[in-house]
């Protein structure tokens, strides 16, 4: 699989952990900069690596890759312009990111709140690092749900207990 390593900047390759493999990569705007998808994380230009289980939503356009990192907010990486010399096809990298992020999700359940008939609510998500055993549960409040509502904590606890029993996670 040495062909996958060609084009990966040495600065990224030198930071990979033992056993971590490059799955896809592509150069981005700027010299010697690349987005690198590995078995453990998405390596960003500038040296930061974001674990797959910490990436929420991700989207691509011809100009940029934007994703949400749990606890850190939205991040954007500028891509090489389509008309630029050496323009890059980012589809393989986009597919790899999508697959890797999806693979970390064990459970993703919407719970209506404040009543079972409500169109608003919260989402309970269980995620696990690739190859890991520890499960992390996260609560994502839907639009219009007041985090200060005194009923919310109890509703989340009941829904989480029921979901854990049901799914065995």
């Amino acid at each position: 699989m040495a062909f996958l390593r060609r084009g990966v900047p040495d600065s990224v390759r030198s930071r990979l952990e033992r056993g971590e493999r490059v799955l896809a990569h592509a150069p981005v705007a700027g010299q010697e900069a690349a987005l690198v998808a590995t078995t453990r994380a998405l390596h960003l230009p500038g040296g930061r690596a974001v674990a797959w289980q910490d990436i929420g939503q991700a989207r691509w356009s011809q100009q940029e890759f934007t994703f949400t990192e749990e606890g850190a907010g939205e991040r954007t990486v500028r891509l090489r312009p389509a008309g630029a010399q050496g323009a890059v096809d980012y589809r393989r990298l986009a597919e790899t990111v999508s697959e890797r992020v999806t693979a970390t999700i064990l459970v993703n359940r919407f719970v209506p709140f404040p009543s079972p008939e409500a169109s608003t609510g919260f989402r309970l998500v269980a995620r696990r690092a690739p190859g890991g055993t520890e499960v992390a549960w996260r609560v994502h409040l839907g639009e219009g749900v007041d985090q200060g509502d005194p009923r919310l904590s109890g509703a989340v606890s009941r829904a989480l207990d029921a979901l854990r029993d049901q799914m065995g996670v």
Side-chain angles (χ1 to χ4, degrees), residues 87-153:
V88 178
D89 181 352
Y90 290 95
R91 287 181 290 192
R92 179 181 168 134
L93 186 60
E95 289 171 0
T96 302
V97 169
S98 176
E99 185 276 330
R100 288 273 123 185
V101 169
T102 301
T104 68
I105 300 171
L106 303 173
V107 178
N108 183 351
R109 179 74 50 90
F110 176 77
V111 179
F113 180 81
S115 70
E117 300 82 29
S119 60
T120 61
F122 55 89
R123 187 164 294 283
L124 295 173
V125 181
R127 296 184 79 174
R128 178 175 50 208
T133 57
E134 188 175 321
V135 175
W137 284 91
R138 296 179 179 139
V139 179
H140 300 276
L141 299 181
E143 200 170 306
V145 174
D146 177 12
Q147 69 183 30
D149 188 323
R151 301 169 293 172
L152 183 60
S153 178

Side-chain angles (χ1 to χ4, degrees), residues 1 5-6 10 15 21 30 39 60 72 79 92 101-102 111 119 121 147 169:
M1 290 238 186
R5 290 177 33 187
R6 275 183 272 151
D10 290 336
R15 289 192 318 269
R21 294 184 344 265
T39 50
W60 299 81
L79 304 176
R92 179 181 168 134
V101 169
T102 301
V111 179
S119 60
Q147 69 183 30
V169 178

